[in-house]
Amino acid sequence: MDALRNWVEQMSPRERVMVGAAAALLVLAIVYLAGFRPLLISAERNAAEVAEQQELLDELTQLAARRGPQRGAAAGAGGGGQSLVLVVDRTTRDKGLGGYLKRNQPDGADAIRLRFEDAPFDNLLSWLVEMQTNYGVGAISANIDTSRSPGRVNCNLVLSRAAG
């Protein structure tokens, strides 16, 4: 340490300023290379990984949209874990079929027996498609007979979450 001190004391004031500036630049370079640069590289790597994961998510979302809801999709996106009886009750009312539903009987944990009388066929078909698409509920059996009115049917259905 004494040798360093003697060396600095032998310098002219101009040389001391230059050595001090060089020392300051050296300290800044060490701080940058040892501290900030690894953080910047890590941030860039993380940003690239996030972009890659976002691309993968977009591809999966597009694939899921093309394939649609899959078989056994519990209560589906709109079911929220509700019982099949509640889902059927709510959706039939939403489709204007509530007045035509004459019997609604659970058949185990994942099935239900239904009886519609004089129901509009188009509404019934639209409702069945919605049940399959949105809730993963499909028909196990269906017995459809024409009604006295045109475009109306009497229908016995057994629906199940495992169907499809």
Side-chain angles (χ1 to χ4, degrees):
M1 198 63 144
D2 287 334
L4 183 62
R5 187 177 298 137
N6 289 336
W7 179 67
V8 172
E9 287 175 0
Q10 291 176 355
M11 291 182 194
S12 68
R14 183 176 176 186
E15 290 174 332
R16 287 184 190 149
V17 169
M18 289 180 65
V19 168
L25 286 174
L26 181 63
V27 168
L28 287 175
I30 290 172
V31 167
Y32 173 77
L33 292 174
F36 290 121
R37 188 161 187 256
L39 290 175
L40 293 175
I41 291 172
S42 177
E44 288 173 1
R45 193 172 26 234
N46 289 343
E49 188 174 331
V50 166
E52 183 180 315
Q53 294 294 326
Q54 185 62 45
E55 285 180 28
L56 180 60
L57 177 63
D58 292 343
E59 289 175 17
L60 289 174
T61 302
Q62 290 172 1
L63 179 63
R66 282 195 304 261
R67 296 220 17 148
Q70 297 300 302
R71 179 184 162 149
Q82 294 179 350
S83 75
L84 198 50
V85 173
L86 292 175
V87 171
V88 166
D89 182 58
R90 187 186 68 231
T91 57
T92 53
R93 281 188 277 122
D94 290 347
K95 284 288 185 184
L97 294 170
Y100 305 105
L101 181 61
K102 301 303 177 187
R103 190 178 69 209
N104 180 342
Q105 177 183 2
D107 187 14
D110 290 329
I112 189 167
R113 293 180 182 276
L114 304 171
R115 169 72 180 168
F116 290 92
E117 293 181 2
D118 203 35
F121 180 73
D122 291 342
N123 291 19
L124 187 63
L125 206 54
S126 173
W127 173 75
L128 284 170
V129 168
E130 177 184 325
M131 291 297 288
Q132 177 66 46
T133 304
N134 296 340
Y135 302 95
V137 175
I140 295 174
S141 70
N143 182 3
I144 302 174
D145 297 315
T146 58
S147 176
R148 285 182 244 158
S149 307
R152 306 270 177 160
V153 294
N154 296 321
C155 177
N156 290 312
L157 292 171
V158 179
L159 303 180
S160 173
R161 281 198 170 114

